[in-house]
C-alpha cells in the first residue's frame, strides 16, 4: 500500500494533464446543465444598467487580448446584448493593442445579432497609446483623444456621440480587464477625476484582488471570470458560451479537488517515513 | 353656545389657508461653487419642517435682474440636502442638513466665469406658490481645492518622514531589519548551483524601471551577482524590457568589479528576448528545459506567465525563490516555489541585502507610515462606533481629517 | 556630458514631478490644460516606445543570427514572421475587415495570433492542476486551513459545487468579500506606500536607477 502511495505522490504530470483534458472535454460534448447562482456583485451591474434610461451612454472598455478571450469575451457579449436590448448608446474601446481586432469583432457580431447600427447605436473607437494619459485626454475632450473611430470615420458629429464631449458625459463605464492597463487605471485616472460610475469585469485570477475596490464603492459591481459571465447570461436570460463552459469548469474543479484530497491521503500514509525529498513532476 | 361654536368654526376656516400657506425659503443665497474649475454656481438655503414630496422647488436664472428668468431645475422640496460626507467641516458652504444645489453650465443655460448671474427660487404646492428674493453670484475657478487640504498635509508629512528616515539611516546604517526567511536560501541556491556546475537563472519581472518591485529586483540582482562572481557560477538574466536590461547590465558589471572578478564578467549574461508576455515566457521555459539551471529567481512584478515559468522550473528540479508585489500571482509562487517573498518583503530584502541607507531609510519611513495608518484605523473605528451609538456627530471633526473629499 | 546624462534629467524630473503632484490639488482650468498637454506628450512618447521596442528586438536577434549562436533558427523565424506580418498588414491597410470581408491581416490575427495566445494561456489550467497536486499538502495547520479554504472556494464558485454543497457558495462569498478583501487591502496599502515612497525619491532625485547605470547617492 505504501508503495502504491509513493508512486501516486510522484505520479507523472502527464496523467494529471490527461485527467484535466478529459474533465474539460467530456462536459463540452455532453453538458449536464446545472443552475447558476447569481452573486450580488454581478447583479449590481445588471441592476444599474436596467435602471439607465434609454439612449444613456455606456462606455465599454475591452482591455484584454486573445489569451483572455475565453473568459472575457462572454462577459463582453452578455453586456452588449443587455445594453443593446436597453437601447443604450455604447462606446467601445480598448487599451490593449493586440486585442483591438478581437474587440471590433465582438462589437460587429453582437450588433448584427441585435440589429444595431454603427455610428447610430454604437461606435468602436479602437486603440490609442497612453493608457492613463489617454484616459485623461478623453476626460478633457473625447474628440481630440479619438478624432476618428476604428473604421476611420470622424467621431465629430456622430449621432451616437451626440451630447458626449468627454468622460463626464458618460453614464456608466465598464472595464473588462485581463491585467494592466485595466480597472485600477480607469479608476485612478478616470472615475476619481471625472466622477462617472464604473464597474469591472476581469479574469478569474485577478478578480479576488479587486474585491477591496468593490467593498469600498470604487467600483459598483464586479464580474469574475467565466462564472461572472455565466451569472450575467442567467440574468439577461440568454445563455451563451459562458453557461456552456461552466459544466467544463465544474468538472475540472471537481477533478482538481479529488486529486488534491487523494494526494493528501497518500501524503499522510507516507508521513511517518523519514527523508522528505523534493520530487520533480 | 351654538353661536360661539359657529364663530369658532368660521375662525378655523379663515385660519386654515393661513396655516397651510407656504413660505419663501429661509436664508437663500447664491454663491460661486467652492473648489471647482469655474462655470458653476451653488445655491444654499435652510431646511424647513414643511419640506415634503408634494412641494416642489424650481430654480430660475437670468443674466440680469431685468432680463427674463429661465427655469433651469426643478425637484421636490425634501431633496438636495447636505449629507455627512459631502463636504469636510473646514470647507463646508452650508450646515449639514440644509439645502445645497450645484448649478453647472449647460447647453440650456451656459454659465461663464466672471459674469454675474441672478437666481431665484419658486416654491410651489398645489395652487400656492411663493418666490424667494433674487440672489446674485459670479462664477470663478479656484486655485486650490481646500477640501483636499488634509490629503496634501499627509503627503507633505509622509515626504518629511521619509526624508528624515533616510537622513537618519545615512548617519547610522545599522538599523535593525527583521531577517527574512527567503534570504537565507539565496546562499544555499548559489552554493547548490556551483556544486552542480549549472547556471543561475534570474528574472526581473514584467515591469519597467518605474516600478518599485523592478527596482528591488535589480538591487537583489546586484547582491546575487556579487556572490555569483565570488563562486564563479554562471548567471543568466533574460529581459522583457530593454531599459531594465541596460540597468541590470551595469549593475551586474559593477558587482563583478566589487567582488574583485572583473575578468569573470560576461557581457551577454543579461540579454533581451521580447516584450510580448507569452513569447518571453516560452523563450524562458525553453532556456529552463535546455540548460536546466540549478536555481531560479523570480523577482519583480508578474502576471499570468508566473505559473508557466515556475511550474516549468519545478519540473527541472531547480530550487526556486520568488519575490513579488503582484498579489494575484502570489498563490502560484507560494505553491510552486521553495521560498516566496510577499509584497513588501521584496522591498525589505533589497534593503536588507544591500544595506544602502536610502533603501533602509525608505523602509523605516514606510513602516512609520503604516503604523500611523493602523493607529488611524483603530481610532477611527472606535470614534465612528461611539458616534453611532451615542447618536452624535461631534467625532466627525476628527473623522473628516482622514476622509478623502473631492 | 554629465549634465545631459544626470543633472538635466534630474532637474526635469524634479520640476515636472512637483508641478504635477500639486496639479492634483488645483482645480483651475490652467491646471487641467497643463495635464491635458502633458498627457498628449505621454501618448506621443508611448507611440515612440513601440518603435523602440521593435528596433531592440531586431537588433538583438540580428546579432544572434549573424553569430549563429545556439537557437539562432528561432531568431530567423522571428524575422520572417515580422516581415510577413508587416507586409500583409501594409497590403491590408492596417484593417482586419473591409466591408465585412476578412483581410490578410485579419486572417493572420484570427488563425495565428488568437489560437497561439489562447494555447499559451490555456496551458495554465493544466499547470494549476499539477502544481496543486504537488503542493497542496496539509503539512502544517496553516497549510490545512489553506487547503480547506481552497476546496470550499473551488466548490462554491462552480454550479456543480453549489449543487452538491449549497453552503459552499455562501462561505466562498464570505471568504472573498471579507477575509480576502481585508488581506488584499493590507497588501495594497503596503504596496501603495512603497509606490508613493519611490515616487517621492524619484522626484527628489534620491533614486536614480531609472536613469540607467549603477547606483549612486
Amino acid at each position: 500500500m505504501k508503495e502504491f502511495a509513493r508512486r501516486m505522490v510522484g505520479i507523472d504530470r502527464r496523467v494529471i494533464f490527461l485527467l484535466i483534458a478529459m474533465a474539460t472535454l467530456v462536459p463540452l460534448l455532453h453538458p449536464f446543465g446545472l443552475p447558476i447562482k447569481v452573486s450580488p456583485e454581478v447583479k449590481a451591474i445588471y441592476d444599474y444598467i436596467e435602471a439607465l434610461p434609454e439612449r444613456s451612454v455606456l462606455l465599454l472598455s475591452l482591455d484584454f487580448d486573445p489569451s483572455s478571450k475565453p473568459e472575457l469575451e462572454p462577459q463582453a457579449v452578455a453586456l452588449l446584448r443587455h445594453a443593446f436590448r436597453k437601447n443604450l448608446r455604447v462606446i467601445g474601446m480598448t487599451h490593449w493593442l493586440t486585442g483591438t481586432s478581437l474587440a471590433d469583432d465582438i462589437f460587429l457580431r453582437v450588433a448584427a445579432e441585435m440589429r444595431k447600427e454603427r455610428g447610430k447605436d454604437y461606435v468602436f473607437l479602437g486603440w490609442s497609446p497612453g493608457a492613463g494619459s489617454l484616459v485623461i485626454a478623453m476626460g478633457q475632450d473625447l474628440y481630440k483623444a479619438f478624432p476618428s473611430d476604428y473604421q476611420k470615420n470622424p467621431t465629430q458629429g456622430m449621432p451616437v456621440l451626440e451630447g458626449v464631449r468627454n468622460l463626464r458625459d458618460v453614464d456608466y463605464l465598464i472595464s473588462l480587464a485581463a491585467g494592466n492597463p485595466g480597472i485600477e487605471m480607469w479608476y485612478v485616472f478616470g472615475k476619481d477625476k471625472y466622477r462617472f460610475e464604473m464597474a469591472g469585469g476581469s479574469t478569474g485570477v485577478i478578480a479576488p484582488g479587486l474585491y477591496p475596490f468593490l467593498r469600498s464603492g470604487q467600483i459598483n459591481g464586479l464580474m469574475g471570470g467565466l462564472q461572472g459571465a455565466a451569472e450575467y447570461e442567467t440574468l439577461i436570460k440568454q445563455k451563451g458560451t459562458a453557461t456552456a463552459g461552466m459544466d467544463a469548469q465544474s468538472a475540472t474543479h471537481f477533478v482538481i479537488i479529488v486529486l488534491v484530497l487523494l494526494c493528501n491521503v497518500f501524503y499522510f500514509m507516507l508521513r511517518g517515513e523519514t527523508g522528505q525529498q523534493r520530487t520533480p513532476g | 353656545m351654538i353661536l360661539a361654536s359657529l364663530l369658532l368654526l368660521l375662525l378655523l376656516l379663515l385660519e386654515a389657508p393661513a396655516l397651510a400657506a407656504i413660505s419663501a425659503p429661509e436664508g437663500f443665497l447664491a454663491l460661486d461653487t467652492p473648489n471647482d474649475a469655474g462655470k458653476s454656481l451653488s445655491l444654499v438655503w435652510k431646511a424647513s419642517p414643511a419640506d415634503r414630496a408634494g412641494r416642489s422647488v424650481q430654480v430660475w436664472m437670468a443674466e440680469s435682474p431685468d432680463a427674463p428668468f429661465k427655469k433651469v431645475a426643478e425637484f421636490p422640496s425634501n431633496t438636495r440636502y447636505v449629507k455627512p460626507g459631502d463636504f469636510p467641516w473646514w470647507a463646508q458652504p452650508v450646515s449639514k442638513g440644509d439645502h445645497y444645489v450645484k448649478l453647472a453650465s449647460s447647453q440650456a443655460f451656459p454659465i461663464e466665469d466672471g459674469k454675474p448671474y441672478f437666481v431665484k427660487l419658486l416654491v410651489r404646492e398645489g395652487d400656492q406658490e411663493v418666490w424667494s428674493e433674487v440672489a446674485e453670484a459670479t462664477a470663478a475657478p479656484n486655485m486650490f481645492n481646500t477640501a483636499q487640504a488634509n490629503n496634501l498635509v499627509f503627503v507633505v508629512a509622509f515626504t518629511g518622514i521619509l526624508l528624515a528616515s533616510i537622513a537618519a539611516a545615512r548617519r547610522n546604517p545599522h538599523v535593525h531589519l527583521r531577517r527574512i526567511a527567503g534570504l537565507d536560501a539565496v546562499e544555499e541556491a548559489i552554493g547548490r548551483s556551483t556544486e552542480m556546475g549549472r547556471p543561475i537563472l534570474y528574472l526581473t519581472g514584467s515591469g519597467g524601471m518605474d516600478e518599485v518591485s523592478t527596482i528591488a529586483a535589480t538591487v537583489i540582482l546586484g547582491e546575487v551577482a556579487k556572490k555569483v562572481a565570488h563562486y564563479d557560477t554562471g548567471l543568466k538574466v533574460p529581459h522583457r524590457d530593454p531599459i531594465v536590461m541596460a540597468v541590470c547590465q551595469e549593475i551586474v558589471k559593477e558587482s563583478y568589479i566589487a567582488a574583485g572578478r572583473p575578468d569573470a564578467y560576461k557581457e551577454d549574461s543579461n540579454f533581451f528576448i521580447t516584450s510580448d508576455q507569452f513569447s518571453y515566457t516560452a523563450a524562458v521555459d525553453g532556456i529552463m528545459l535546455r540548460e536546466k539551471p540549478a536555481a531560479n529567481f523570480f523577482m519583480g512584478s508578474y502576471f499570468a506567465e508566473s505559473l508557466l515559468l515556475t511550474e516549468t522550473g519545478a519540473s527541472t528540479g531547480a530550487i526556486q525563490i520568488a519575490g513579488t508585489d503582484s498579489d494575484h500571482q502570489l498563490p502560484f509562487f507560494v505553491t510552486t516555489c521553495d521560498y516566496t517573498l510577499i509584497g513588501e518583503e521584496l522591498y525589505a530584502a533589497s534593503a536588507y541585502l544591500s544595506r544602502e541607507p536610502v533603501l533602509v531609510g525608505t523602509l523605516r519611513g514606510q513602516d512609520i507610515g503604516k503604523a500611523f495608518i493602523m493607529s488611524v484605523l483603530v481610532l477611527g473605528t472606535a470614534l465612528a462606533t461611539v458616534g453611532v451609538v451615542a447618536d452624535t456627530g461631534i467625532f466627525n471633526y476628527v473623522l473628516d481629517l482622514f476622509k478623502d473629499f473631492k | 556630458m554629465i549634465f545631459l546624462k544626470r543633472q538635466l534629467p534630474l532637474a526635469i524630473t524634479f520640476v515636472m514631478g512637483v508641478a504635477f503632484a500639486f496639479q492634483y490639488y488645483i482645480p483651475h482650468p490652467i491646471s487641467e490644460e497643463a495635464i491635458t498637454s502633458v498627457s498628449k506628450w505621454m501618448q506621443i512618447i508611448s507611440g515612440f516606445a513601440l518603435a523602440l521596442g521593435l528596433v531592440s528586438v531586431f537588433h538583438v536577434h540580428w546579432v544572434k543570427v549573424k553569430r549563429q549562436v545556439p537557437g539562432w533558427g528561432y531568431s530567423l523565424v522571428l524575422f520572417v514572421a515580422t516581415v510577413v506580418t508587416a507586409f500583409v498588414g501594409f497590403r491590408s491597410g492596417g484593417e482586419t475587415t473591409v466591408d465585412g470581408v476578412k483581410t490578410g491581416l485579419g486572417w493572420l490575427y484570427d488563425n495565428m495570433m488568437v489560437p497561439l495566445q489562447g494555447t499559451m494561456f490555456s496551458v495554465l489550467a493544466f499547470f494549476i492542476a499539477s502544481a496543486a497536486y504537488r503542493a497542496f499538502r496539509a503539512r502544517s495547520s496553516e497549510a490545512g486551513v489553506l487547503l480547506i479554504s481552497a476546496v470550499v472556494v473551488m466548490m462554491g464558485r462552480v454550479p456543480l459545487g453549489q449543487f452538491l454543497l449549497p453552503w459552499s457558495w455562501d462561505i466562498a462569498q464570505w471568504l472573498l468579500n471579507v477575509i480576502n478583501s481585508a488581506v488584499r487591502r493590507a497588501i495594497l496599502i503596503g504596496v501603495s506606500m512603497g509606490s508613493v515612497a519611490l515616487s517621492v525619491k524619484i522626484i527628489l532625485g534620491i533614486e536614480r536607477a531609472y536613469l540607467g547605470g549603477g547606483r549612486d547617492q
Side-chain angles (χ1 to χ4, degrees), chain C residues 20 22 24 37 42 110 123 131 208 217:
Chain C
F20 286 95
F22 279 107
Y24 183 77
S37 296
M42 298 274 293
D110 284 350
V123 171
R208 300 173 195 182
Q217 302 294 321

Side-chain angles (χ1 to χ4, degrees), chain B residues 62-122:
Chain B
E63 292 182 11
S64 73
D66 306 317
F69 277 72
K70 198 171 168 186
K71 187 170 85 170
V72 297
E74 183 171 2
F75 42 85
S77 65
N78 62 346
T79 58
R80 309 293 184 103
Y81 294 106
V82 172
K83 299 181 294 299
D86 282 349
F87 300 100
W89 53 263
W90 62 87
Q92 206 165 273
V94 68
S95 305
K96 283 194 187 71
D98 285 345
H99 291 281
Y100 176 84
V101 171
K102 183 176 163 183
L103 298 173
S105 180
S106 64
Q107 279 180 333
F109 198 104
I111 296 175
E112 287 168 30
D113 292 330
K115 195 172 158 183
Y117 292 91
F118 299 85
V119 194
K120 58 184 179 182
L121 300 180
L122 173 66

Side-chain angles (χ1 to χ4, degrees), chain A residues 8 37 65-67 98 101 105 128-129 133-134 136 140 192 208 211 215 227 250 253 260 263-264 267, chain C residues 24 32 36 39 42-43 96 109 113 117 121 133 136-139 147 154 157 159-160 162 177 180-181:
Chain A
M8 292 310 294
K37 222 165 171 176
D65 62 5
S67 57
T98 46
S101 181
D105 263 350
S128 190
S133 317
L134 175 64
I136 292 173
Q140 299 302 310
D192 191 54
Y211 274 81
R215 297 262 58 84
Q227 167 76 14
S250 292
H253 277 216
V260 166
C263 173
N264 275 275
Y267 167 72
Chain C
Y24 183 77
E32 291 295 320
T36 307
S39 303
M42 298 274 293
Q43 279 191 275
T96 48
Y109 185 86
M113 180 86 166
Q117 284 212 342
F121 206 77
Y133 183 80
F136 267 157
R137 294 176 195 180
R139 291 191 184 93
L147 175 65
M154 285 178 75
R157 292 291 294 171
L160 182 63
Q162 292 159 19
N177 281 286
N180 165 70
S181 288

Side-chain angles (χ1 to χ4, degrees), chain A residues 142-255:
Chain A
L142 187 71
Y143 304 102
K144 279 194 182 150
F146 284 102
S148 60
D149 70 355
Y150 187 58
Q151 302 288 331
K152 304 210 181 9
N153 303 309
T155 45
Q156 196 77 249
M158 254 187 199
V160 66
L161 294 174
E162 193 188 317
V164 179
R165 287 160 303 165
N166 51 44
L167 287 177
R168 287 181 215 272
D169 300 318
V170 166
D171 295 301
Y172 198 33
L173 186 144
I174 304 177
S175 168
L176 303 182
N180 194 28
I183 295 164
E184 281 184 49
M185 182 213 63
W186 268 114
Y187 177 78
V188 168
F189 293 101
K191 182 179 172 176
D192 191 54
K193 231 173 139 55
Y194 304 110
R195 320 278 177 92
F196 45 81
E197 188 57 87
M198 73 171 278
S202 70
T203 51
V205 70
I206 65 173
L210 295 166
Y211 274 81
F213 297 93
L214 180 69
R215 297 262 58 84
S216 62
Q218 286 161 313
I219 54 175
N220 81 335
L222 178 64
M223 283 198 289
L226 200 65
Q227 167 76 14
E231 290 176 27
Y232 210 86
E233 286 175 2
T234 306
L235 286 166
I236 63 169
K237 297 185 177 52
Q238 189 170 357
K239 290 185 184 176
T241 45
T243 308
M246 284 318 295
D247 287 342
Q249 193 166 71
S250 292
T252 314
H253 277 216
F254 195 71
V255 164

